[in-house]
Amino acid sequence: MRQAVIKRAIPELPKDTPIESADGLVVVAVVFDEEGKLSQAEVLEAPHPSIKQAVLDALKLWETERRGVFEGPHQLVGWLSFNCTIKDGKWGIEYTQTDEDHKPDKRYKHPFARTNPRTPFYYQY
């Protein structure tokens, strides 16, 4: 998913967010349309509701490549996850690197994926 992204915006910590509740993982199910624009997004986990909205606002500015493995334009359906951290009293957000970094005890079914019911499209960490 991240390899197809050609334009990014990093979320900013909203002023009304208490710094002590701004540490944690953000998991987002996304669909980018044939034009490379975000068409659907749902935040499935976030450490604070205001961070959830900040991530959605930033993702609206993202763009993906219009061509991929298949010939011609196509939708891109997948997951994005971000790690919100507090270091030295300052908030930061970064992309998670690999699925190996995630805990194996949670799974989310993708709300927008059209998959075979026998092979559901899950995000696991």
Short mmCIF file of all heavy atoms in Angstrom, two decimals, residues 15-39:
data_model
loop_
_atom_site.label_atom_id
_atom_site.label_comp_id
_atom_site.label_asym_id
_atom_site.label_seq_id
_atom_site.Cartn_x
_atom_site.Cartn_y
_atom_site.Cartn_z
N LYS A 15 -4.86 20.66 18.93
CA LYS A 15 -4.58 21.42 20.16
C LYS A 15 -5.42 20.95 21.35
O LYS A 15 -5.00 21.06 22.49
CB LYS A 15 -4.82 22.91 19.91
CG LYS A 15 -3.82 23.49 18.96
CD LYS A 15 -4.06 24.95 18.77
CE LYS A 15 -3.25 25.50 17.73
NZ LYS A 15 -2.37 26.02 17.23
N ASP A 16 -6.61 20.40 21.09
CA ASP A 16 -7.48 19.98 22.18
C ASP A 16 -7.18 18.57 22.70
O ASP A 16 -7.87 18.08 23.58
CB ASP A 16 -8.95 20.07 21.76
CG ASP A 16 -9.28 19.15 20.59
OD1 ASP A 16 -8.36 18.74 19.85
OD2 ASP A 16 -10.48 18.84 20.42
N THR A 17 -6.13 17.93 22.18
CA THR A 17 -5.80 16.57 22.60
C THR A 17 -4.87 16.59 23.79
O THR A 17 -3.79 17.17 23.72
CB THR A 17 -5.11 15.80 21.45
OG1 THR A 17 -5.91 15.88 20.29
CG2 THR A 17 -4.89 14.35 21.83
N PRO A 18 -5.25 15.97 24.90
CA PRO A 18 -4.33 15.88 26.04
C PRO A 18 -3.12 15.03 25.66
O PRO A 18 -3.28 13.94 25.10
CB PRO A 18 -5.15 15.19 27.13
CG PRO A 18 -6.54 15.09 26.62
CD PRO A 18 -6.53 15.34 25.16
N ILE A 19 -1.94 15.52 25.92
CA ILE A 19 -0.72 14.83 25.50
C ILE A 19 -0.62 13.43 26.11
O ILE A 19 -0.13 12.51 25.47
CB ILE A 19 0.54 15.68 25.83
CG1 ILE A 19 1.77 15.14 25.10
CG2 ILE A 19 0.79 15.74 27.31
CD1 ILE A 19 1.88 15.51 23.67
N GLU A 20 -1.15 13.25 27.32
CA GLU A 20 -1.07 11.93 27.96
C GLU A 20 -1.94 10.87 27.29
O GLU A 20 -1.75 9.69 27.47
CB GLU A 20 -1.39 12.01 29.45
CG GLU A 20 -2.78 12.50 29.78
CD GLU A 20 -2.90 14.03 29.83
OE1 GLU A 20 -1.91 14.72 29.61
OE2 GLU A 20 -4.01 14.50 30.09
N SER A 21 -2.92 11.28 26.48
CA SER A 21 -3.77 10.30 25.79
C SER A 21 -3.50 10.27 24.29
O SER A 21 -4.34 9.84 23.51
CB SER A 21 -5.25 10.59 26.07
OG SER A 21 -5.58 11.89 25.65
N ALA A 22 -2.31 10.71 23.89
CA ALA A 22 -1.98 10.79 22.47
C ALA A 22 -0.95 9.75 22.05
O ALA A 22 -0.35 9.86 21.00
CB ALA A 22 -1.49 12.19 22.14
N ASP A 23 -0.75 8.73 22.85
CA ASP A 23 0.27 7.71 22.58
C ASP A 23 -0.42 6.41 22.22
O ASP A 23 -1.23 5.90 22.98
CB ASP A 23 1.14 7.54 23.83
CG ASP A 23 2.36 6.71 23.59
OD1 ASP A 23 2.85 6.68 22.44
OD2 ASP A 23 2.84 6.08 24.54
N GLY A 24 -0.12 5.85 21.04
CA GLY A 24 -0.71 4.58 20.66
C GLY A 24 -0.76 4.38 19.16
O GLY A 24 -0.25 5.17 18.37
N LEU A 25 -1.41 3.31 18.75
CA LEU A 25 -1.49 2.91 17.36
C LEU A 25 -2.76 3.44 16.70
O LEU A 25 -3.82 3.47 17.32
CB LEU A 25 -1.47 1.38 17.27
CG LEU A 25 -1.37 0.77 15.88
CD1 LEU A 25 0.02 1.04 15.28
CD2 LEU A 25 -1.62 -0.72 15.95
N VAL A 26 -2.65 3.85 15.44
CA VAL A 26 -3.80 4.24 14.63
C VAL A 26 -3.87 3.24 13.48
O VAL A 26 -2.89 3.03 12.77
CB VAL A 26 -3.65 5.67 14.06
CG1 VAL A 26 -4.85 6.03 13.20
CG2 VAL A 26 -3.48 6.68 15.18
N VAL A 27 -5.02 2.60 13.30
CA VAL A 27 -5.24 1.64 12.22
C VAL A 27 -6.37 2.16 11.34
O VAL A 27 -7.45 2.48 11.84
CB VAL A 27 -5.62 0.24 12.77
CG1 VAL A 27 -5.89 -0.73 11.64
CG2 VAL A 27 -4.54 -0.29 13.69
N VAL A 28 -6.11 2.27 10.03
CA VAL A 28 -7.08 2.84 9.10
C VAL A 28 -7.28 1.90 7.92
O VAL A 28 -6.31 1.46 7.30
CB VAL A 28 -6.60 4.21 8.55
CG1 VAL A 28 -7.70 4.88 7.77
CG2 VAL A 28 -6.11 5.11 9.66
N ALA A 29 -8.54 1.59 7.62
CA ALA A 29 -8.89 0.86 6.40
C ALA A 29 -9.16 1.91 5.32
O ALA A 29 -9.91 2.86 5.56
CB ALA A 29 -10.14 0.01 6.63
N VAL A 30 -8.52 1.76 4.15
CA VAL A 30 -8.62 2.79 3.11
C VAL A 30 -8.95 2.19 1.75
O VAL A 30 -8.65 1.02 1.48
CB VAL A 30 -7.32 3.62 2.98
CG1 VAL A 30 -7.07 4.42 4.24
CG2 VAL A 30 -6.14 2.73 2.66
N VAL A 31 -9.56 3.04 0.91
CA VAL A 31 -9.77 2.73 -0.50
C VAL A 31 -9.40 3.99 -1.28
O VAL A 31 -9.93 5.06 -1.01
CB VAL A 31 -11.24 2.34 -0.82
CG1 VAL A 31 -11.42 2.08 -2.31
CG2 VAL A 31 -11.67 1.14 0.00
N PHE A 32 -8.46 3.83 -2.22
CA PHE A 32 -8.11 4.92 -3.13
C PHE A 32 -8.74 4.60 -4.48
O PHE A 32 -8.65 3.47 -4.96
CB PHE A 32 -6.60 5.06 -3.25
CG PHE A 32 -5.96 5.65 -2.02
CD1 PHE A 32 -5.52 4.83 -1.00
CD2 PHE A 32 -5.82 7.01 -1.89
CE1 PHE A 32 -4.94 5.37 0.15
CE2 PHE A 32 -5.24 7.57 -0.76
CZ PHE A 32 -4.80 6.74 0.26
N ASP A 33 -9.38 5.59 -5.10
CA ASP A 33 -10.09 5.35 -6.36
C ASP A 33 -9.14 5.30 -7.55
O ASP A 33 -7.92 5.40 -7.40
CB ASP A 33 -11.20 6.39 -6.56
CG ASP A 33 -10.67 7.81 -6.72
OD1 ASP A 33 -9.47 8.01 -7.00
OD2 ASP A 33 -11.48 8.74 -6.57
N GLU A 34 -9.71 5.16 -8.74
CA GLU A 34 -8.93 5.04 -9.97
C GLU A 34 -8.11 6.28 -10.28
O GLU A 34 -7.14 6.23 -11.03
CB GLU A 34 -9.86 4.73 -11.15
CG GLU A 34 -10.52 3.37 -11.08
CD GLU A 34 -11.78 3.34 -10.21
OE1 GLU A 34 -12.20 4.40 -9.68
OE2 GLU A 34 -12.34 2.25 -10.04
N GLU A 35 -8.48 7.41 -9.71
CA GLU A 35 -7.75 8.67 -9.90
C GLU A 35 -6.63 8.86 -8.88
O GLU A 35 -5.92 9.85 -8.91
CB GLU A 35 -8.71 9.86 -9.84
CG GLU A 35 -9.73 9.87 -10.95
CD GLU A 35 -9.08 9.98 -12.32
OE1 GLU A 35 -8.17 10.81 -12.48
OE2 GLU A 35 -9.48 9.23 -13.22
N GLY A 36 -6.52 7.94 -7.93
CA GLY A 36 -5.48 8.02 -6.91
C GLY A 36 -5.89 8.82 -5.68
O GLY A 36 -5.08 9.09 -4.81
N LYS A 37 -7.16 9.20 -5.60
CA LYS A 37 -7.67 9.99 -4.46
C LYS A 37 -8.34 9.06 -3.45
O LYS A 37 -8.91 8.03 -3.81
CB LYS A 37 -8.70 11.01 -4.93
CG LYS A 37 -8.19 11.96 -5.99
CD LYS A 37 -7.28 12.97 -5.39
CE LYS A 37 -6.91 14.00 -6.45
NZ LYS A 37 -5.91 14.92 -6.02
N LEU A 38 -8.30 9.46 -2.19
CA LEU A 38 -8.96 8.69 -1.15
C LEU A 38 -10.47 8.73 -1.36
O LEU A 38 -11.06 9.79 -1.44
CB LEU A 38 -8.62 9.27 0.23
CG LEU A 38 -9.16 8.51 1.43
CD1 LEU A 38 -8.42 7.19 1.60
CD2 LEU A 38 -9.04 9.35 2.68
N SER A 39 -11.09 7.56 -1.47
CA SER A 39 -12.54 7.53 -1.65
C SER A 39 -13.27 7.05 -0.40
O SER A 39 -14.40 7.45 -0.16
CB SER A 39 -12.93 6.67 -2.86
OG SER A 39 -12.56 5.33 -2.66
#
